[in-house]
Amino acid sequence: MKRSTIRKVEDLLRDYPEIDKYIEDREKELRYPMTQDDENIGGGRSQSLRNERTLTMLITIDEDRRLNTLKRQREVIDDCLDGVGEDTQVIIGELYFRKRPQYTVDGLVVNHLVHCSRRSAYRLKKEFISECAKRFGLYDLD
Protein backbone atom coordinates (compact mmCIF):
# COMPACT_ATOMS: atom_id res chain seq x y z
CA MET A 1 0.00 0.00 0.00
CA LYS A 2 1.27 3.48 -0.82
CA ARG A 3 2.45 5.65 2.02
CA SER A 4 0.06 8.40 0.91
CA THR A 5 -2.88 5.99 1.26
CA ILE A 6 -1.76 5.03 4.75
CA ARG A 7 -1.46 8.71 5.69
CA LYS A 8 -4.94 9.46 4.33
CA VAL A 9 -6.50 6.63 6.37
CA GLU A 10 -4.56 7.71 9.46
CA ASP A 11 -5.87 11.27 9.03
CA LEU A 12 -9.43 9.95 8.77
CA LEU A 13 -8.89 7.86 11.91
CA ARG A 14 -7.58 10.89 13.82
CA ASP A 15 -10.70 12.84 12.82
CA TYR A 16 -13.02 10.03 13.95
CA PRO A 17 -13.49 11.20 17.58
CA GLU A 18 -14.77 14.55 16.26
CA ILE A 19 -16.84 13.21 13.36
CA ASP A 20 -20.19 13.44 15.19
CA LYS A 21 -19.49 17.12 15.88
CA TYR A 22 -18.59 17.69 12.21
CA ILE A 23 -21.85 16.03 11.13
CA GLU A 24 -23.88 18.11 13.58
CA ASP A 25 -22.16 21.33 12.47
CA ARG A 26 -22.78 20.57 8.80
CA GLU A 27 -26.46 19.81 9.44
CA LYS A 28 -26.77 23.15 11.26
CA GLU A 29 -25.14 24.91 8.30
CA LEU A 30 -27.71 23.36 5.98
CA ARG A 31 -30.69 23.94 8.27
CA TYR A 32 -29.85 27.54 9.09
CA PRO A 33 -28.07 28.99 6.07
CA MET A 34 -26.75 32.50 6.14
CA THR A 35 -29.28 34.63 4.28
CA GLN A 36 -29.14 38.23 3.33
CA ASP A 37 -31.89 40.47 4.58
CA ASP A 38 -34.49 41.34 2.00
CA GLU A 39 -34.61 45.11 1.76
CA ASN A 40 -37.55 45.02 -0.60
CA ILE A 41 -40.20 46.26 1.80
CA GLY A 42 -43.79 45.80 0.88
CA GLY A 43 -45.58 43.40 -1.36
CA GLY A 44 -47.12 40.20 -0.19
CA ARG A 45 -45.41 36.92 0.32
CA SER A 46 -46.97 33.61 -0.32
CA GLN A 47 -47.32 31.17 2.57
CA SER A 48 -46.07 28.40 0.29
CA LEU A 49 -42.60 29.99 0.30
CA ARG A 50 -42.00 28.71 3.84
CA ASN A 51 -43.06 25.18 2.87
CA GLU A 52 -40.78 25.28 -0.17
CA ARG A 53 -37.83 26.28 2.02
CA THR A 54 -38.47 23.34 4.35
CA LEU A 55 -38.68 20.92 1.45
CA THR A 56 -35.54 22.40 -0.14
CA MET A 57 -33.68 22.11 3.19
CA LEU A 58 -34.65 18.44 3.56
CA ILE A 59 -33.53 17.68 0.02
CA THR A 60 -30.29 19.57 0.60
CA ILE A 61 -29.51 17.67 3.82
CA ASP A 62 -30.29 14.37 2.15
CA GLU A 63 -28.14 15.09 -0.90
CA ASP A 64 -25.30 17.08 0.65
CA ARG A 65 -22.03 15.56 -0.48
CA ARG A 66 -19.93 16.63 2.49
CA LEU A 67 -22.50 15.44 5.01
CA ASN A 68 -22.85 12.07 3.28
CA THR A 69 -19.06 11.70 3.12
CA LEU A 70 -18.78 12.32 6.87
CA LYS A 71 -21.51 9.80 7.62
CA ARG A 72 -19.85 7.23 5.36
CA GLN A 73 -16.50 7.77 7.11
CA ARG A 74 -18.12 7.19 10.50
CA GLU A 75 -19.90 4.08 9.23
CA VAL A 76 -16.74 2.57 7.69
CA ILE A 77 -14.64 3.11 10.81
CA ASP A 78 -17.42 1.79 13.06
CA ASP A 79 -17.72 -1.34 10.91
CA CYS A 80 -13.96 -1.88 10.90
CA LEU A 81 -13.80 -1.47 14.69
CA ASP A 82 -16.66 -3.92 15.17
CA GLY A 83 -14.81 -6.56 13.17
CA VAL A 84 -11.55 -6.58 15.13
CA GLY A 85 -10.36 -7.90 18.46
CA GLU A 86 -9.69 -6.06 21.68
CA ASP A 87 -5.95 -5.68 21.03
CA THR A 88 -6.56 -3.94 17.71
CA GLN A 89 -9.12 -1.64 19.33
CA VAL A 90 -6.60 -0.69 22.03
CA ILE A 91 -3.88 -0.03 19.44
CA ILE A 92 -6.09 2.08 17.19
CA GLY A 93 -7.67 3.89 20.14
CA GLU A 94 -4.32 4.83 21.61
CA LEU A 95 -2.60 5.82 18.38
CA TYR A 96 -5.41 7.68 16.61
CA PHE A 97 -8.35 8.47 18.88
CA ARG A 98 -6.54 10.12 21.78
CA LYS A 99 -5.63 13.79 21.54
CA ARG A 100 -2.27 13.16 23.14
CA PRO A 101 -1.28 9.50 22.86
CA GLN A 102 0.83 8.26 25.74
CA TYR A 103 2.16 5.14 24.03
CA THR A 104 3.53 3.96 20.73
CA VAL A 105 2.85 0.43 19.51
CA ASP A 106 6.05 -0.65 21.28
CA GLY A 107 4.91 1.06 24.48
CA LEU A 108 1.57 -0.74 24.39
CA VAL A 109 3.35 -4.08 24.10
CA VAL A 110 6.01 -3.36 26.75
CA ASN A 111 3.39 -2.12 29.25
CA HIS A 112 1.17 -5.15 28.57
CA LEU A 113 -1.78 -3.07 27.41
CA VAL A 114 -2.07 -5.44 24.44
CA HIS A 115 -1.57 -9.14 24.80
CA CYS A 116 0.50 -9.92 21.74
CA SER A 117 4.03 -9.59 20.46
CA ARG A 118 5.48 -6.44 18.95
CA ARG A 119 5.33 -7.98 15.49
CA SER A 120 1.70 -9.02 15.93
CA ALA A 121 0.79 -5.53 17.18
CA TYR A 122 2.25 -3.90 14.07
CA ARG A 123 0.51 -6.51 11.90
CA LEU A 124 -2.85 -5.79 13.58
CA LYS A 125 -2.38 -2.06 13.00
CA LYS A 126 -1.46 -2.60 9.36
CA GLU A 127 -4.40 -4.96 8.76
CA PHE A 128 -6.82 -2.48 10.30
CA ILE A 129 -5.55 0.37 8.13
CA SER A 130 -5.68 -1.86 5.04
CA GLU A 131 -9.27 -2.88 5.78
CA CYS A 132 -10.29 0.76 6.26
CA ALA A 133 -8.55 1.73 3.02
CA LYS A 134 -10.43 -0.99 1.13
CA ARG A 135 -13.77 0.13 2.52
CA PHE A 136 -12.98 3.78 1.77
CA GLY A 137 -12.09 2.79 -1.77
CA LEU A 138 -8.52 4.02 -1.35
CA TYR A 139 -6.75 0.69 -1.52
CA ASP A 140 -4.11 0.26 -4.19
CA LEU A 141 -2.02 -2.77 -5.04
CA ASP A 142 1.37 -1.19 -4.32
Side-chain angles (χ1 to χ4, degrees):
M1 188 174 356
K2 287 183 182 177
R3 187 73 192 140
S4 61
T5 304
I6 293 170
R7 292 267 190 218
K8 177 67 176 168
V9 173
E10 288 177 336
D11 287 343
L12 293 172
L13 289 171
R14 285 186 187 99
D15 276 347
Y16 177 75
E18 300 293 322
I19 205 158
D20 287 332
K21 182 182 178 304
Y22 298 154
I23 290 170
E24 182 182 329
D25 290 348
R26 182 61 181 161
E27 285 177 349
K28 283 181 183 176
E29 283 177 27
L30 295 171
R31 280 196 174 98
Y32 310 109
M34 296 293 285
T35 57
Q36 294 182 358
D37 293 335
D38 184 11
E39 295 181 19
N40 184 11
I41 299 174
R45 280 204 158 157
S46 171
Q47 184 66 17
S48 67
L49 183 61
R50 186 178 305 168
N51 293 336
E52 288 176 21
R53 282 186 187 163
T54 305
L55 181 60
T56 303
M57 178 194 54
L58 291 174
I59 291 170
T60 303
I61 288 174
D62 201 34
E63 294 177 353
D64 185 65
R65 211 178 210 170
R66 189 166 138 212
L67 182 61
N68 289 330
T69 300
L70 289 169
K71 287 180 179 179
R72 171 128 171 79
Q73 287 172 4
R74 179 180 61 189
E75 181 181 311
V76 165
I77 295 171
D78 283 344
D79 289 347
C80 287
L81 283 170
D82 288 342
V84 297
E86 186 179 331
D87 285 343
T88 305
Q89 289 180 2
V90 170
I91 292 166
I92 299 303
E94 177 64 29
L95 297 178
Y96 302 111
F97 298 165
R98 292 184 66 145
K99 281 194 180 207
R100 292 177 186 86
Q102 291 181 314
Y103 301 104
T104 61
V105 174
D106 291 332
L108 292 170
V109 172
V110 169
N111 291 303
H112 305 291
L113 297 173
V114 292
H115 307 290
C116 60
S117 68
R118 178 182 183 271
R119 187 175 190 166
S120 293
Y122 277 103
R123 181 183 45 79
L124 291 172
K125 175 186 161 196
K126 182 179 178 183
E127 288 173 356
F128 184 83
I129 290 174
S130 293
E131 182 62 27
C132 285
K134 285 179 192 173
R135 292 188 185 202
F136 283 130
L138 300 172
Y139 194 78
D140 48 29
L141 299 173
D142 294 337

